[in-house]
Amino acid sequence: ATSYSSTTGQGPTFGVDEGIAAAGIGGYHYRRYLLLSSAAISISMSFSISFIVMITLVCRDNVHVFLGFWVMALVFSGFMVGTVIAGLLCDRLGRKPVLVAGTWIIVIHFVLMSVTVETEYRFYPWHVGLGLGMGLVEFTYIIMIAEFATPDIRSIAISVSGFLFGLGSLLTSIISYFSINTLGWRTTILICGIPVALSAVGVCFVSETPKYLCTSGQVGPARILLEEIAEENGNKLPEGDLVGVHVEDRGNMREIFRKPHQKDTMLLIVSYFLVGVVFYSAWSMLPFILQSGHCDLPYRPLTSLCTFSGQILLENLILTTSQLFSLPVVVMVNSLWGRLPALRVVSGILTVVSILLTVCWGGHHLFLLFLFIQRGLSQNLLVVLLIYTPELYPTHIRAVSASGVIAFSAVGGLVSSLIVWSVGYNIHWEILLVVLAVCSSATFILSWAFSKETKDATLQDGTGAAHTD
């Protein structure tokens, strides 16, 4: 059931999209974007510390490689469950409570890992909880950024948060490089937990989104919030009453598999899965390629932790640099041409690079160059999908729909942990590169099946998809 309400019930009215546009963009938004984007750093540092644990277990401590990948499988399992749960809760309880809960779960698990660890093997029980917190946070902050932003800056705001994900990985690598060998795991985890804790405190000061308030029947608080935003930005709201659309059947996941959302949902599920396989495989396989001896590269097996940490630091420095250089391209294509051209351009370039990787196997620096480009492009392709996804669904199912499809990137990550170990490590890395080229090609082909362009679209509160102003 859907009902409409306004602040007084008489006189001229305006919708929440008109109110957001009239309130404009200013200091209020920039502070909120900064606090919300800090959640990307929190997730990235959580994932990176798990990744560094995995590589260290295998490369330094000679633990069986399967146990190392088991660490990442636990993280992705928790991430997948947390993402689905978060979507169901966001559409019922609100965006902010889920975001705050997720960030503090991550903080708690950082503390638990540091106080219980005597050897690295005792990390395992906490990785599921860590992934759960990451899942709660991952899409919630994206949804909140999308709902706070006006159409003209939405792609920029989400793209910057994607770059901050890479920056968090680099920060974790820097901390690990200078502290693991001298201060040990306990201190390293606590130091990495400081930015995570600051992010958890910061998101407590983020307000609920006006869109959620309007679609949950809280028209009065939504009007007050919009007036605060407009006043701080030096603007005024339209004359009349704010109208809210209250949908009783909120967060119904079955609705995303019905028309008119059925086609987009299925395409997004497959796309997130394929990109997740490519991105997380490219993230985790390089150290093992260098260790395996299968590839004729100018590296020797790593015997000291300092050398290992230096390699991880160098990798993340190059990855962050590649993301930084490709970010303007993603933003420009999204802003000027639209979501569908961005999806097709980035996936097309990723396909070409992935195919070249299979040809350049053993090609020393050329192979490494293409591998880093593949990692940067697959990260930015995820960003493009994250920009596009919230714009396809109405507010009352936006969170549950986003969580449902984004969860499949975690499924792709779980599969990547298995295929990097089973195919790449145990059979041959060239076969894994072919698998990633096929996944990239399939993503490019699927990008042409999407038909709904959402550039310059408002995030409609009613019962339809996004519409153009």
Side-chain angles (χ1 to χ4, degrees):
T2 302
S3 60
Y4 298 84
S5 59
S6 64
T7 47
T8 67
Q10 56 186 1
T13 61
F14 64 94
V16 64
D17 288 315
E18 296 174 85
I20 291 175
I25 298 296
Y28 181 94
H29 290 84
Y30 299 140
R31 288 195 298 274
R32 267 56 183 180
Y33 294 154
L34 179 62
L35 293 174
L36 290 171
S37 295
S38 70
I41 297 179
S42 176
I43 296 171
S44 175
M45 295 189 73
S46 304
F47 180 80
S48 297
I49 198 69
S50 302
F51 175 69
I52 291 175
V53 168
M54 178 194 73
I55 302 298
T56 305
L57 287 173
V58 176
C59 297
R60 187 197 71 172
D61 297 339
N62 297 317
V63 174
H64 194 280
V65 66
F66 177 76
L67 294 179
F69 283 111
W70 179 244
V71 170
M72 299 310 300
L74 291 175
V75 173
F76 285 121
S77 298
F79 183 89
M80 179 174 56
V81 174
T83 303
V84 174
I85 292 175
L88 296 172
L89 294 178
C90 267
D91 282 328
R92 288 173 169 81
L93 304 179
R95 284 46 165 149
K96 180 180 177 178
V98 177
L99 181 65
V100 172
T103 53
W104 281 106
I105 287 175
I106 293 175
V107 171
I108 290 170
H109 282 85
F110 262 80
V111 174
L112 289 174
M113 283 194 295
S114 66
V115 298
T116 60
V117 62
E118 294 174 1
T119 66
E120 288 84 348
Y121 313 104
R122 293 184 63 179
F123 277 50
Y124 293 154
W126 307 120
H127 281 287
V128 175
L130 189 64
L132 181 68
M134 292 165 57
L136 291 173
V137 174
E138 165 72 14
F139 89 99
T140 308
Y141 83 88
I142 293 292
I143 292 295
M144 293 186 75
I145 289 177
E147 292 185 344
F148 267 119
T150 54
D152 54 327
I153 68 163
R154 189 180 301 131
S155 63
I156 299 175
I158 297 178
S159 297
V160 170
S161 70
F163 169 70
L164 291 177
F165 184 93
L167 197 61
S169 300
L170 179 60
L171 181 59
T172 307
S173 302
I174 294 173
I175 294 172
S176 301
Y177 177 73
F178 288 105
S179 63
I180 289 180
N181 202 39
T182 56
L183 302 178
W185 277 111
R186 188 189 304 272
T187 305
T188 299
I189 293 173
L190 285 175
I191 294 174
C192 289
I194 293 174
V196 176
L198 291 175
S199 171
V201 172
V203 298
C204 292
F205 296 94
V206 176
S207 58
E208 187 57 83
T209 68
K211 284 185 173 294
Y212 173 78
L213 293 175
C214 275
T215 57
S216 60
Q218 304 176 63
V219 181
R223 172 69 186 243
I224 294 173
L225 178 58
L226 287 172
E227 287 175 343
E228 291 177 358
I229 297 173
E231 182 178 358
E232 186 167 342
N233 294 339
N235 298 314
K236 296 182 67 175
L237 295 182
E239 296 293 332
D241 293 338
L242 173 65
V243 177
V245 182
H246 181 51
V247 183
E248 295 291 344
D249 189 18
R250 303 181 57 81
N252 185 352
M253 187 169 285
R254 293 189 298 272
E255 188 172 339
I256 71 176
F257 294 102
R258 300 170 183 161
K259 293 182 179 181
H261 310 301
Q262 185 180 49
K263 176 186 174 183
D264 293 326
T265 297
M266 297 308 299
L267 289 173
L268 285 171
I269 285 174
V270 179
S271 297
Y272 272 108
F273 171 76
L274 293 172
V275 178
V277 170
V278 176
F279 172 62
Y280 292 113
S281 295
W283 186 303
S284 60
M285 70 181 178
L286 179 58
F288 295 99
I289 290 179
L290 301 181
Q291 285 281 309
S292 64
H294 290 301
C295 185
D296 182 21
L297 291 168
Y299 291 87
R300 296 292 179 267
L302 304 174
T303 56
S304 70
L305 185 56
C306 183
T307 306
F308 157 76
S309 300
Q311 176 186 309
I312 297 294
L313 174 59
L314 178 62
E315 290 175 17
N316 279 288
L317 179 61
I318 297 175
L319 174 60
T320 306
T321 303
S322 69
Q323 287 178 283
L324 180 61
F325 278 103
S326 56
L327 182 64
V329 177
V330 174
V331 172
M332 181 183 68
V333 175
N334 259 300
S335 301
L336 296 181
W337 298 344
R339 313 305 187 233
L340 296 182
L343 187 61
R344 292 160 184 168
V345 168
V346 178
S347 62
I349 299 174
L350 177 63
T351 299
V352 173
V353 170
S354 298
I355 294 173
L356 289 174
L357 267 172
T358 64
V359 178
C360 297
W361 171 255
H364 294 263
H365 299 294
L366 188 61
F367 172 80
L368 287 177
L369 174 64
F370 283 133
L371 187 57
F372 282 121
I373 293 175
Q374 183 190 54
R375 287 172 64 171
L377 284 172
S378 56
Q379 165 73 35
N380 282 321
L381 185 54
L382 276 175
V383 171
V384 174
L385 286 171
L386 289 172
I387 295 171
Y388 188 45
T389 302
E391 297 174 340
L392 288 173
Y393 298 97
T395 304
H396 69 283
I397 59 166
R398 183 170 299 125
V400 73
S401 60
S403 69
V405 297
I406 291 173
F408 281 86
S409 68
V411 177
L414 182 61
V415 171
S416 75
S417 301
L418 299 176
I419 64 174
V420 170
W421 170 71
S422 60
V423 178
Y425 191 86
N426 288 317
I427 303 177
H428 202 286
W429 294 107
E430 273 190 290
I431 299 177
L432 177 60
L433 293 174
V434 172
V435 171
L436 299 186
V438 171
C439 290
S440 301
S441 302
T443 305
F444 175 65
I445 294 172
L446 281 175
S447 69
W448 292 92
F450 287 99
S451 57
K452 194 177 297 178
E453 178 55 67
T454 58
K455 178 180 176 291
D456 298 326
T458 59
L459 301 184
Q460 186 177 344
D461 351 294
T463 55
H467 67 278
T468 303
D469 287 331

